[in-house]
Amino acid sequence: MSHGDGLRDAALAGSGLAWLATWLVATDLQVGRLRAIPIPSAPQDMDVHVLWPKSRTFSPQIRASVDALVRTFQPIPPRDQL
């Protein structure tokens, strides 16, 4: 079980709010077991880390995903700019 699974189970049991990936709770949302609470934007202090298999080059899919994350979570703090 991952942390997401445990948080999902707790939310389904009525233990409170949980910030979960949409893909993890898509069925629960569709059938009404859970309700989504929209938030205006991601918290400013949330770190996002991307991991991928080691290789010399990015696959086009990984490159597109990383580029989309960078656009979504800009600006990059100066300490994290490479």
Side-chain angles (χ1 to χ4, degrees):
M1 177 184 340
S2 72
H3 294 337
D5 292 327
L7 290 171
R8 176 186 166 270
D9 291 345
L12 287 168
S15 296
L17 300 175
W19 186 349
L20 299 166
T22 305
W23 60 264
L24 181 64
V25 294
T27 301
D28 298 312
L29 293 169
Q30 289 171 349
V31 300
R33 288 189 292 255
L34 293 175
R35 289 185 297 149
I37 299 172
I39 56 173
S41 63
Q44 296 300 313
D45 62 352
M46 183 178 79
D47 291 333
V48 175
H49 301 271
V50 180
L51 305 173
W52 56 87
K54 184 178 180 181
S55 68
R56 294 190 131 168
T57 60
F58 283 129
S59 72
Q61 295 87 352
I62 291 175
R63 176 82 271 164
S65 297
V66 170
D67 289 345
L69 287 168
V70 169
R71 282 191 306 275
T72 300
F73 291 98
Q74 285 289 348
I76 299 173
R79 71 175 191 276
D80 294 335
Q81 293 178 5
L82 301 176

